[in-house]
C-alpha cells in the first residue's frame, strides 16, 4: 500500500517537472534539501490528518481493534515491538497513525511509528507519512524519540521488518526476531521500557503466492529485498465487487494487543551478554502474551509462535 501511494506521488512529481510547473518542482527540491533531517528529528505530525474521517472507515472495514492489557505510565518512554509485519501492517497504521485509538487508551503517550528511511526520499509522500506520525527507523530517529526527558514518547518498531512480510501467509506464526537485537540495545541505551505488541489477524488480510524458503521465488525476493531495502511479496485478496481476486484486503478482524511493559534500566554501554539476556526476556514475554490471548482470536490451542 505504501509503495502504491509513493508511486503516485513520484508520478505527480515527474508531471510537475515535465509540465509547465517545473518551477514548483524546483522549489520543492529546495524544500526537500532544507527539510531532509526532519524524519529523524521527530517528524512533523498533524492532528488534523490523523483525525481524518476516512481513517475511521479504514479501521471499521476490517475492523481494527486496540486492546490494552496494562497501564503505561506517561512519565516513562517506551519502545513497542510490533509483531507480525504482515503484508499491509494495517494494525500498526490503524492504531498508531490515526486518532483516537491509542490516545484514548494511553493518555499522555505520543506514538511514533518507525518506517524505512527510503520512504522519506519520495517527494510529497514523505510529507503525508510524517503528518500521520511516522518517522525514520534509523538509529538517530529512534534515539531522538526515546531521548525525551519528560517521558511520554512511544517508539513503535515493526521488529520483523520487510523480510518478515515474505512469511505473511494466512495462518503463519513465524516471526523474524532471533537475530534482531538492535531494538534491545536502543531500549537499554535510553532506559526505555520494552512493550511486546502482537496483532492477531495481521497475516489473514491477503493470500500470498507460495514462496517457501529455498524456492526460486523466495531467493529472488530476498535478493531484491537486500538491494532495494523493502520486500516484494506477491499477494492478492478481493476485488471491489467480487471476492475471488483483487488487491483489496479481505475483511478480517485485527486485534492488536499491547502487552505489559518490561522495565529497563538505562545502560549507555550494554554488553553482549546484557543485550542477549534482555532479548531472551522479551521473547519470553512476547510468547506469553500470545499464549494468553490466542484463544480469544481463533488460534488453535496447539499452535504457537515460531521464532527464526
Amino acid at each position: 500500500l505504501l509503495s502504491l501511494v509513493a508511486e503516485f506521488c513520484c508520478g505527480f512529481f515527474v508531471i510537475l517537472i515535465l509540465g509547465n510547473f517545473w518551477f514548483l518542482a524546483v522549489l520543492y527540491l529546495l524544500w526537500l534539501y532544507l527539510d531532509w533531517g526532519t524524519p529523524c528529528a521527530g517528524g512533523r505530525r498533524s492532528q488534523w490528518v490523523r483525525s481524518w474521517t476516512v481513517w475511521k472507515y479504514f479501521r471499521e472495514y476490517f475492523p481494527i481493534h486496540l486492546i490494552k492489557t496494562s497501564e503505561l505510565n506517561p512519565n516513562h518512554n517506551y519502545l513497542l515491538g510490533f509483531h507480525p509485519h504482515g503484508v499491509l501492517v494495517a494494525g500498526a497504521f490503524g492504531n498508531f497513525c490515526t486518532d483516537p485509538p491509542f490516545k484514548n487508551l494511553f493518555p499522555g503517550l505520543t506514538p511514533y511509528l518507525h518506517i524505512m528511511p527510503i520512504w522519506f526520499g519520495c517527494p510529497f509522500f514523505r510529507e503525508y507519512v510524517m503528518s500521520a506520525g511516522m518517522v525514520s527507523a534509523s538509529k538517530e530517529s529512534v534515539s531522538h524519540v526515546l531521548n525525551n526527558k519528560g517521558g511520554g514518547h512511544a517508539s513503535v518498531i515493526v521488529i520483523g521488518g520487510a523480510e518478515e512480510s515474505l512469511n505473511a501467509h494466512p495462518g503463519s506464526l513465524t516471526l523474524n526476531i532471533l537475530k534482531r537485537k538492535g531494538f534491545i540495545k536502543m531500549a537499554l541505551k535510553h532506559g526505555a521500557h520494552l512493550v511486546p505488541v502482537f496483532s492477531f489477524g495481521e497475516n489473514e488480510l491477503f493470500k500470498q503466492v507460495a514462496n517457501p524458503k529455498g524456492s526460486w521465488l523466495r531467493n529472488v525476493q530476498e535478493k531484491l529485498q537486500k538491494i532495494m531495502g523493502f520486500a516484494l511479496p506477491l499477494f492478492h485478496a478481493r476485488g471491489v465487487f467480487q471476492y475471488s481476486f483483487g488487491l483489496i484486503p479481505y475483511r478480517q478482524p485485527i486485534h492488536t494487543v499491547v502487552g505489559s511493559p518490561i522495565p529497563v534500566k538505562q545502560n549507555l554501554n550494554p554488553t553482549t551478554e546484557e543485550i542477549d539476556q534482555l532479548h531472551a526476556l522479551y521473547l519470553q514475554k512476547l510468547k506469553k502474551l500470545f499464549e494468553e490471548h490466542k484463544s480469544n482470536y481463533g488460534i488453535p490451542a496447539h499452535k504457537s509462535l515460531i521464532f527464526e
Side-chain angles (χ1 to χ4, degrees):
L1 181 63
L2 282 178
S3 60
L4 289 175
V5 179
E7 287 174 10
F8 173 81
C9 292
C10 288
F12 179 69
F13 185 70
V14 171
I15 291 174
L16 288 182
I17 295 176
L18 299 179
N20 296 324
F21 301 98
W22 58 269
F23 62 94
L24 293 177
V26 172
L27 288 175
Y28 184 80
L29 286 175
L30 176 61
W31 162 256
L32 193 63
Y33 173 76
L34 296 173
D35 194 57
W36 191 255
T38 301
C40 293
R44 187 171 45 248
R45 69 178 53 223
S46 165
Q47 192 59 44
W48 174 66
V49 172
R50 289 174 59 89
S51 301
W52 280 351
T53 303
V54 67
W55 303 138
K56 175 177 179 290
Y57 294 117
F58 173 80
R59 294 191 301 268
E60 290 178 351
Y61 171 80
F62 298 96
I64 295 174
H65 303 281
L66 186 65
I67 291 86
K68 174 181 179 179
T69 64
S70 177
E71 294 291 338
L72 297 183
N73 189 332
N75 293 325
H76 298 297
N77 293 317
Y78 298 88
L79 195 158
L80 278 62
F82 183 91
H83 312 270
H85 184 288
V87 171
L88 190 61
V89 205
F93 178 82
N95 287 310
F96 304 117
C97 295
T98 72
D99 286 329
F102 190 85
K103 183 170 67 174
N104 285 352
L105 287 180
F106 302 100
L109 283 181
T110 302
Y112 295 82
L113 179 61
H114 296 271
I115 63 175
M116 290 183 296
I118 189 174
W119 297 118
F120 296 100
C122 180
F124 302 116
F125 179 71
R126 69 189 297 274
E127 318 303 334
Y128 159 67
V129 293
M130 279 196 290
S131 68
M134 288 179 253
V135 292
S136 173
S138 66
K139 292 181 181 179
E140 177 187 358
S141 177
V142 176
S143 291
H144 184 276
V145 173
L146 298 181
N147 262 337
N148 193 42
K149 299 302 181 182
H153 280 189
S155 278
V156 183
I157 301 178
V158 184
I159 304 300
E163 183 182 358
E164 193 173 85
S165 67
L166 299 178
N167 289 329
H169 296 272
S172 174
L173 295 172
T174 300
L175 303 181
N176 292 64
I177 192 172
L178 291 181
K179 296 181 180 179
R180 296 179 182 265
K181 301 179 181 179
F183 73 105
I184 298 292
K185 188 174 183 180
M186 293 300 290
L188 282 165
K189 280 191 170 184
H190 296 283
H193 296 348
L194 280 167
V195 182
V197 179
F198 195 87
S199 196
F200 291 90
E202 199 74 45
N203 284 339
E204 315 305 314
L205 307 185
F206 296 93
K207 292 179 180 177
Q208 190 173 167
V209 175
N211 60 342
K213 288 197 171 184
S215 66
W216 69 269
L217 176 56
R218 186 60 168 257
N219 290 337
V220 170
Q221 289 175 320
E222 289 177 346
K223 287 179 181 178
L224 289 175
Q225 188 262 324
K226 290 179 180 179
I227 294 172
M228 299 184 299
F230 57 91
L232 292 173
L234 298 180
F235 60 89
H236 66 89
R238 53 162 290 185
V240 178
F241 301 111
Q242 45 79 29
Y243 294 85
S244 57
F245 189 82
L247 296 179
I248 298 176
Y250 293 116
R251 298 191 69 177
Q252 296 289 340
I254 298 172
H255 294 87
T256 303
V257 184
V258 180
S260 300
I262 303 170
V264 177
K265 186 177 180 181
Q266 187 173 25
N267 183 347
L268 296 177
N269 296 292
T271 64
T272 301
E273 290 74 20
E274 289 170 330
I275 293 172
D276 289 344
Q277 183 179 12
L278 184 55
H279 185 262
L281 177 60
Y282 179 86
L283 294 183
Q284 177 185 332
K285 295 295 185 180
L286 174 59
K287 186 173 183 179
K288 180 182 178 183
L289 178 70
F290 174 81
E291 292 295 331
E292 288 178 347
H293 294 272
K294 67 180 184 181
S295 62
N296 296 332
Y297 307 116
I299 307 295
H302 68 278
K303 284 200 169 187
S304 296
L305 293 179
I306 299 172
F307 298 142
E308 63 175 30

